[in-house]
Amino acid sequence: MDLITLFGRKHETDFIMFSLPHFIALGVTAILCLLLFSARFALRTRPSLRNSVRWLLIIVLLASDGGLHAWYLSHGIWTARHSLPLELCGITLLLSIIMLLTRSRLLYDFLYFAGIGGAVIALLTPNLVYPFPHFRFILFFTAHAAIVLSSLFMTWAYGYRPTWRSLLFTMLGLNLVAAVVFGLDKLLGANYMFLAHKPGTFSVLDYFGPYPYYLLVEEAFAFLIFLMMFLIFFKLPETLRSRGNSRKRSL
């Protein structure tokens, strides 16, 4: 395996969705989430461990974003039309760094839904052409896994919880971000956040109809995903715990 194969711009084969490397990358991400969940009590009671994990996530996020821009620059292909961090996951990556640095509850309210939801969809249907073990493959899955882990870390290490207000705030925030990015797309002749047309690779947007109707379907889909994330992981467990406590008191 030479450096050109690992870091070069040209590649002999394309990334194949749901291939063995893709499943391995998804599996590693899932294992890291489970490990973080299993360590939640230690993270809450051991400040040194909590800070170490927090800074590790910050470093991984910074290295992922910096590595991508360094790769663009090394090949002389950095352009404002394609290389700015204006995709949803690029935005949530930078916001995740700020959230971890400041431990911002406001950013958590947005990133629990937009960060985890957007990154998980990207992990399942990557807008990626470079196969394993190319540098871009490693960067893509590392960055998106770290976005997911950052919000989960704030949930399990600091006890943050989303609310109904968080969900509405996220939908409002996404629309404001999309409006700004749409203006920049027009100015730059770009397609950030796929607001001008669908990506060239397969994505969930392929099921949402033609332009511009898929943008409306995408918004409804996002709201449904966020609602499920809130109900399944927070409201349902709270309801079950409340019923269990009520039964205990009645005995």
Side-chain angles (χ1 to χ4, degrees), residues 45 58-59 67 76-77 102 131 134 148 151 157 165 168 172 179 181 189 218 223-224 242 247:
T45 57
I58 292 170
I59 292 169
I77 58 173
T102 62
H134 195 278
V148 173
S151 290
R165 183 177 295 180
L168 297 176
L172 176 62
V181 172
E218 182 182 21
F223 179 78
L224 179 61
S242 297
R247 288 175 182 174

Side-chain angles (χ1 to χ4, degrees), residues 30 39 48 55 67 75 80 90 97 112 149 161 186 220 230-231 238 251:
S48 60
W55 280 103
H75 290 284
I97 294 172
Y112 172 78
L149 289 167
R161 293 287 187 275
K186 291 295 185 181
F230 181 57
L231 294 177
E238 288 177 3
L251 294 176

